[in-house]
Amino acid sequence: MSLGLQEQLLAELDREMGATRRVLSRVPDASFDWTPHPRSRSLGGLATHVAELPGWIAHIIEEPSFDLACVPAAPRMDPDRAAVLARFEHEAARARRAVCAAVDTRLLETWSLLRDGRVLLTAPRIVAVRTEGLYHLVHHRGQLGVYLRLLGVPLPPVYGPTADEGRF
């Protein structure tokens, strides 16, 4: 029996949300303002961005496009880990509801990313969910892992055991 697009996407979503939850749960409140470089986001800013990214998945499924001109100039930053986790849980649930409601034909419809009304990319929703949603989330979650490592915070398992768990 082969899985439909919705079932495949739901399995990927659930796996990535679990890994993301584990990483976000390690973000120390005392280091929210820390940044590894002057051009980098702060730990709290990056954690907030990671927490809000599942909402992009819902948007890609539910809306015909997204215009980057709508992104606020000043990135959002939650005040602490509890707020980041609350935002993440809200957005992850929103993404899961959207995937559960999407039929395969909806996932094959096109979606566009715009900047000031100019089309930057157009792709089937399933591709956009993966590239602009899930892979984007994985990218920033990886950055967050580097921040945590630099701060001496033990890393949780993401795709397998970590050296911090002593299983290597």
Side-chain angles (χ1 to χ4, degrees):
M1 179 176 108
S2 90
L3 295 176
L5 297 176
Q6 179 204 45
E7 292 88 0
Q8 292 174 39
L9 190 56
L10 192 57
E12 289 178 68
L13 181 77
D14 287 345
R15 180 178 176 130
E16 297 305 334
M17 293 309 107
T20 302
R21 183 178 294 109
R22 289 189 297 277
V23 172
L24 288 173
S25 71
R26 301 284 176 100
V27 174
D29 287 338
S31 300
F32 252 54
D33 291 328
W34 181 84
T35 182
H37 185 274
R39 293 186 64 192
S40 298
R41 288 185 189 205
S42 67
L43 175 67
L46 180 57
T48 300
H49 185 56
V50 168
E52 63 193 2
L53 282 174
W56 291 36
I57 293 167
H59 186 90
I60 291 166
I61 291 171
E62 297 167 351
E63 302 297 329
S65 63
F66 181 77
D67 196 319
L68 292 169
C70 298
V71 175
R76 186 178 312 179
M77 184 167 111
D78 287 327
D80 56 29
R81 179 178 55 226
V84 164
L85 286 169
R87 179 183 305 280
F88 172 74
E89 294 302 339
H90 172 79
E91 297 299 343
R94 196 172 140 227
R96 193 168 205 290
R97 283 191 306 273
V99 171
C100 286
V103 295
D104 286 3
T105 54
R106 175 77 172 163
L107 294 172
L108 293 172
E109 293 172 356
T110 58
W111 177 86
S112 296
L113 181 64
L114 314 169
R115 181 181 302 275
D116 295 318
R118 186 174 41 92
V119 176
L120 299 178
L121 97 92
T122 297
R125 288 179 200 281
I126 185 93
V127 172
V129 165
R130 286 185 171 123
T131 59
E132 306 308 309
L134 287 173
Y135 302 163
H136 186 174
L137 171 71
V138 168
H139 163 73
H140 286 300
R141 186 180 69 211
Q143 287 180 315
L144 192 54
V146 170
Y147 280 34
L148 295 175
R149 172 63 74 215
L150 291 172
L151 288 167
V153 175
L155 298 178
V158 173
Y159 296 120
T162 67
D164 296 320
E165 295 180 319
R167 292 191 203 165
F168 281 114

